[in-house]
Amino acid sequence: MRLIASLFALFLIAPMAIAEEHAPSPSPFDQNYSAMEQVDAALGEALAADKRLLLVFGANWCHDSRGLAGHFQDPELAATLRDHYVTRFIDVGWRDQNQDVIRRFGVATLYATPMVMIIDPADETLLNRDQREAWGTAASTPVEEARAYFARWAGEVPATGGVVESSLIYQAMLIEIEVFEEEEGDRLARAYVDVGRWRALPEDERPEDFMAGYDEVDEWRRALPRQVARLRASARSMVTNALTELAGEAPVSSEIVAVFDQRNPDLHLEFQPHESARW
């Protein structure tokens, strides 16, 4: 009898465990409001509470957007968010909506969903600019990584930079890359708008090459951040190699950097804008 009772209890518990494990992820993104007004109000709330503003740009159709929202329900992470952030979910449609909010914080467009912005409400500075796209695979990323990430950005922003970063030439190269990314990002954002408009049409009213355009934009959004990362790595490598050559056997110092900047060597980056007959 005890064996039968144990088996009966197991049969009752197992479906409950399976249901919990496969519980649907939250769907917190809502298009039925003015996102900019929500951001204005959230900035004021964050400033008054001495917290950071956390904007999550995504959509309910996106598995990873819902996955990150699911992580936010983890008790430890939820406590971090409650204590240190004012959080808002911004619906981007098919990456074609609320682009004015994205640009407000100095970003031309987004590459993947979700995109996370952590903002200092005092001056609207985007703190995690280089890591804003880190959660494009949120659904398959362990919650422990999310806990660590948001706990780190809840505190003081770690100081970055070193000898290479102090070079004016290196900083000028980074500005070139930022300008390129902004220009390409503007083009990509316009393409998002076109594709989003076509998707909203009945199938028989879409352009004949709709799928070709869709595929082009999808590949473009994946290729652009890879190119930007390669450009940044190339800029650092070129400056590091030039400084090392100039220093010879001596360590690279601020004095070496000053000489390097004064000589103003001709270092070139290879920019490759996306080639498109449409955009």
Side-chain angles (χ1 to χ4, degrees):
M1 291 295 293
R2 284 197 297 269
L3 177 59
I4 294 173
S6 298
L7 288 173
F8 181 71
L10 179 62
F11 289 142
L12 287 177
I13 294 171
M16 295 173 60
I18 293 172
E20 290 179 2
E21 182 180 352
H22 296 284
S25 300
S27 300
F29 298 92
D30 182 4
Q31 289 184 316
N32 297 318
Y33 65 81
S34 171
M36 191 65 81
E37 291 178 8
Q38 289 283 328
V39 170
D40 285 335
L43 278 166
E45 182 181 338
L47 185 61
D50 193 24
K51 296 180 179 181
R52 290 184 169 160
L53 175 61
L54 170 58
L55 299 181
V56 181
F57 295 85
N60 290 332
W61 57 259
C62 172
H63 177 60
D64 289 299
S65 295
R66 297 196 315 276
L68 183 59
H71 284 339
F72 283 4
Q73 294 185 340
D74 169 75
E76 181 179 332
L77 179 51
T80 298
L81 298 178
R82 181 182 63 249
D83 293 342
H84 299 285
Y85 295 94
V86 172
T87 304
R88 295 292 184 272
F89 294 92
I90 308 296
D91 194 299
V92 296
W94 195 87
R95 308 183 190 91
D96 59 332
Q97 301 297 316
N98 288 316
Q99 293 190 18
D100 55 340
V101 178
I102 294 171
R103 292 194 181 94
R104 174 173 178 168
F105 300 103
V107 175
T109 190
L110 74 166
Y111 303 129
T113 49
M115 178 177 71
V116 170
M117 287 188 181
I118 297 174
I119 297 158
D120 183 342
D123 55 9
E124 298 193 14
T125 299
L126 176 57
L127 301 175
N128 67 327
R129 178 174 300 276
D130 293 339
Q131 298 183 31
R132 66 184 187 272
E133 303 282 352
W135 293 98
T137 56
S140 58
T141 301
V143 70
E144 290 80 7
E145 292 187 25
R147 291 172 187 161
Y149 181 91
F150 290 101
R152 177 164 61 88
W153 284 103
E156 294 297 322
V157 178
T160 58
V163 177
V164 174
E165 285 75 13
S166 68
S167 166
L168 297 178
I169 291 176
Y170 178 66
Q171 293 301 323
M173 296 173 80
L174 292 184
I175 291 173
E176 280 188 279
I177 297 169
E178 288 179 5
V179 170
F180 169 77
E181 184 177 17
E182 183 174 355
E183 291 174 349
E184 286 294 285
D186 283 341
R187 293 177 62 206
L188 181 58
R190 291 195 295 272
Y192 285 154
V193 171
D194 286 342
V195 172
R197 177 166 49 84
W198 296 333
R199 284 171 61 92
L201 295 173
E203 288 192 21
D204 59 349
E205 296 181 20
R206 293 174 180 173
E208 292 184 2
D209 59 347
F210 166 71
M211 285 308 302
Y214 178 97
D215 291 341
E216 177 187 347
V217 172
D218 201 47
E219 175 55 30
W220 187 2
R221 75 175 180 87
R222 298 175 191 275
L224 180 54
R226 292 197 295 263
Q227 182 180 179
V228 169
R230 286 194 299 269
L231 286 166
R232 287 176 178 160
S234 180
R236 184 175 180 83
S237 177
M238 283 192 284
V239 172
T240 299
N241 292 340
L243 287 171
T244 302
E245 183 178 352
L246 182 60
E249 297 297 324
V252 175
S253 63
S254 57
E255 290 77 13
I256 294 294
V257 172
V259 172
F260 170 74
D261 286 341
Q262 188 173 18
R263 291 185 180 181
N264 192 23
D266 191 16
L267 302 180
H268 284 293
L269 293 168
E270 295 292 333
F271 296 95
Q272 296 179 335
H274 175 70
E275 295 182 4
S276 175
R278 192 193 304 269
W279 294 291

